[in-house]
Amino acid sequence: MKVAVIKYNAGNVQSVLYALERLGAEAVLTDDLEIITSADKVIFPGQGEASTAMKYLKEKHLDKLIPQLQQPFFGVCLGQQLLCEYSEENNTRCLGVFPVKVKRFIPENTEEFKVPHVGWNNLFDLKTPLLQGLDNESYVYYVHSYYCEISEFTIATTHYIHDFAGLMHWKNFYAMQAHPEKSGTVGEKILENFLKI
Amino acid sequence: MLTKRIIPCLDIKDGRTVKGVNFVQLRDAGDPVELAKIYSDEGADELVFLDITATVDKRKTLAELVTNIAKTINIPFTVGGGISTVEDVKVLLNSGADKISINSAAVKNPGIINEMAMEFGSQCIVVAIDTRNVDGIDFVHTHGGRIPTLVRTQQWAKEVCDRGAGEILLTSMDHDGTKAGFANEITAEISTMLSIPVIASGGAGNMEHFKDVFTFGRADAALAASIFHFKEIPIPNLKRYLREMEIPVRL
């Protein structure tokens, strides 16, 4: 099985590659359209700023390719947000796979809620084979200031200030706001499940 | 619910852990990778590696170590110690570190915080602040807390937040090594003043100290070294205790 990890100007992609290596998957970091198209699985990692990332994806024609991919596809962190329609982060039009908006956390009480949302938080109402074998309330590691709204595509929710979409699914597209590669055994299980889809 | 984080800190010199580590299950007590794996398996939420290697040519050893840590553990980790340039940060992040921490270099050249945050994002820039109370006033200290500055700690904390730091690692030099508890007062002051998470450090001696720093100290995370290394407080016990005390922790 060949896993393509999409290369773009996102931080700490290395950790995703190491996590896949620990699971015994053969992963390649690439922005080559042909390699991505022919891969068995595609992972779209992320960390960074939405408009800069979209600009890079457009330059590489990845903005056209990604929504058309047929194989299991997994967007992580900024990768999840970029799969949405629109992000409030610098008013960015994204890839539009999920007709969902990405919004900024605005705490009513800044003493209680800090932004970014950093640390381990629970996943609730887990659905789909991607989350098979995980307990409700499993902890995953988050670092983000923007979140995807709850929608019909939400397959797990997390609560911070309010509920938001922890994971999403539509057809072959899966997405996760937290970092599976940094979420201990829970994250490892999610990646393992994804590789089995 | 977002949980409070427990963070063991490992001091590294020439790629090896330096402070005495008392782990019977360790085959090699000086191997940071093995120790990191144990902490990660025990339920540590993050790790901090503080490199105290003085010489520049040893930095390559650090990058290699970071790669090995990233390959082995599946929780986030921060690397600090002697980082002063954007290039230093790039090397460590590309090696697999999740965050880096800067301290003295930021005091000397505060603009570096903006530069690093712009280049890599605030989420991976931790600013470490060493503070000491002198006649009732809190002053920033540099070089491992040895050199005093005229900068007020509260003012500096606000400035680093404004410049784009993602988190603050606040070490009270008055409390560090005393095992008499964290500096709850200044931690609470800074944590409530700022919109970014504050990691409290210095003074952990028993489990109650952690409860106190999360309640009175309003810390988002607590860091300690020797009490974990010498197994005075096993992490699973600490977390069970905190949960009993109704502090949200990941178990």
Side-chain angles (χ1 to χ4, degrees):
Chain A
M1 182 173 58
K2 275 236 162 68
V3 182
V5 177
I6 296 181
K7 181 176 157 189
Y8 68 118
N9 55 339
N12 211 357
V13 174
Q14 207 55 47
S15 298
V16 176
L17 294 172
Y18 292 149
L20 292 168
E21 198 177 290
R22 284 196 291 272
L23 290 168
E26 194 189 327
V28 51
L29 183 66
T30 179
D31 58 8
D32 184 294
L33 303 188
E34 268 177 42
I35 295 175
I36 293 171
T37 308
S38 65
D40 300 303
K41 301 269 157 56
V42 179
I43 294 182
F44 184 36
Q47 202 176 74
E49 191 273 321
S51 68
T52 319
M54 278 307 298
K55 191 166 163 262
Y56 186 91
L57 293 175
K58 280 179 189 160
E59 276 168 24
K60 300 281 176 183
H61 306 291
L62 285 160
D63 62 320
K64 295 279 181 297
L65 179 78
I66 290 172
Q68 290 172 14
L69 289 172
Q70 301 295 319
Q71 66 274 65
F73 185 100
F74 194 15
V76 169
C77 192
L78 181 64
Q80 161 163 304
Q81 299 179 4
L82 294 175
L83 286 175
C84 294
E85 199 162 39
Y86 165 83
S87 172
E88 285 184 357
E89 187 172 20
N90 292 315
N91 200 8
T92 304
R93 185 132 312 270
C94 301
L95 297 167
V97 170
F98 294 101
V100 169
K101 282 199 179 72
V102 181
K103 295 187 158 179
R104 187 176 169 86
F105 281 121
I106 299 174
E108 284 171 20
N109 174 354
T110 49
E111 272 193 28
E112 192 182 354
F113 293 110
K114 298 183 173 184
V115 177
H117 170 221
V118 182
W120 298 78
N121 205 336
N122 314 90
L123 293 175
F124 294 99
D125 305 325
L126 316 182
K127 298 180 193 106
T128 82
L130 184 69
L131 301 170
Q132 209 161 41
L134 295 179
D135 297 329
N136 197 35
E137 301 191 24
S138 285
Y139 286 103
V140 287
Y141 185 81
Y142 284 98
V143 191
H144 61 130
S145 300
Y146 294 81
Y147 66 92
C148 299
E149 282 188 303
I150 301 277
S151 67
E152 60 191 285
F153 309 103
T154 304
I155 56 167
T157 59
T158 291
H159 188 86
Y160 188 68
I161 305 174
H162 42 67
D163 283 349
F164 67 88
L167 285 101
M168 306 196 299
H169 170 230
W170 182 68
K171 291 187 177 170
N172 56 319
F173 289 93
Y174 293 85
M176 173 169 180
Q177 178 62 62
H179 287 271
E181 76 281 10
K182 288 290 161 182
S183 295
T185 48
V186 171
E188 221 156 74
K189 181 74 189 160
I190 294 173
L191 282 175
E192 197 185 331
N193 285 344
F194 173 72
L195 294 177
K196 282 184 194 156
I197 286 169
Chain B
M1 192 171 189
L2 181 64
T3 56
K4 301 291 188 182
R5 289 170 280 156
I6 301 294
I7 308 178
C9 176
L10 285 76
D11 284 351
I12 306 294
K13 191 175 183 189
D14 303 336
R16 311 270 298 165
T17 48
V18 277
K19 268 189 195 157
V21 174
N22 185 18
F23 269 96
V24 277
Q25 66 267 54
L26 272 185
R27 275 168 297 149
D28 175 357
D31 180 5
V33 178
E34 208 181 328
L35 189 57
K37 180 81 172 71
I38 290 175
Y39 280 134
S40 156
D41 291 346
E42 279 192 339
D45 297 304
E46 279 184 46
L47 296 171
V48 167
F49 296 87
L50 193 59
D51 184 49
I52 56 170
T53 310
T55 52
V56 176
D57 55 314
K58 293 286 168 61
R59 307 291 297 181
K60 199 163 160 275
T61 320
L62 181 65
E64 281 166 17
L65 174 64
V66 168
T67 302
N68 287 331
I69 294 164
K71 280 185 174 177
T72 310
I73 64 168
N74 52 19
I75 59 169
F77 67 98
T78 302
V79 179
I83 294 168
S84 57
T85 65
V86 166
E87 187 55 34
D88 291 341
V89 177
K90 188 179 255 174
V91 168
L92 294 171
L93 293 180
N94 286 344
S95 303
D98 298 287
K99 316 177 197 180
I100 60 87
S101 85
I102 46 167
N103 190 336
S104 305
V107 177
K108 202 172 155 193
N109 172 20
I112 197 75
I113 302 169
N114 305 63
E115 263 181 65
M116 289 173 178
M118 282 289 279
E119 181 82 22
F120 309 106
S122 290
Q123 84 288 336
C124 62
I125 308 299
V126 179
V127 175
I129 302 178
D130 293 340
T131 181
R132 199 184 283 277
N133 191 284
V134 184
D135 299 329
I137 301 171
D138 300 297
F139 287 103
V140 175
H141 285 60
T142 59
H143 301 83
R146 291 191 308 274
I147 300 179
T149 71
L150 293 173
V151 183
R152 300 279 182 99
T153 305
Q154 289 82 346
Q155 193 189 328
W156 177 234
K158 183 164 186 324
E159 184 176 340
V160 305
C161 179
D162 292 343
R163 286 181 180 276
E167 283 180 275
I168 286 178
L169 168 56
L170 182 70
T171 303
S172 162
M173 303 314 294
D174 303 307
H175 290 243
D176 201 28
T178 63
K179 295 197 175 179
F182 292 93
N184 296 323
E185 211 171 299
I186 188 168
T187 305
E189 195 183 336
I190 288 173
S191 184
T192 47
M193 183 174 75
L194 302 180
S195 59
I196 57 174
V198 174
I199 305 163
S201 153
N206 60 40
M207 298 205 277
E208 206 180 341
H209 293 154
F210 285 88
K211 180 192 70 148
D212 291 345
V213 80
F214 290 137
T215 51
F216 307 131
R218 312 197 66 135
D220 298 283
L223 176 143
S226 58
I227 53 152
F228 294 138
H229 301 331
F230 291 106
K231 283 255 165 185
E232 288 165 32
I233 302 180
I235 290 171
N237 300 18
L238 173 61
K239 290 188 129 184
R240 276 196 298 273
Y241 163 82
L242 290 171
R243 183 166 279 192
E244 276 167 27
M245 296 293 121
E246 296 183 338
I247 311 264
V249 286
R250 176 181 70 114
L251 277 178

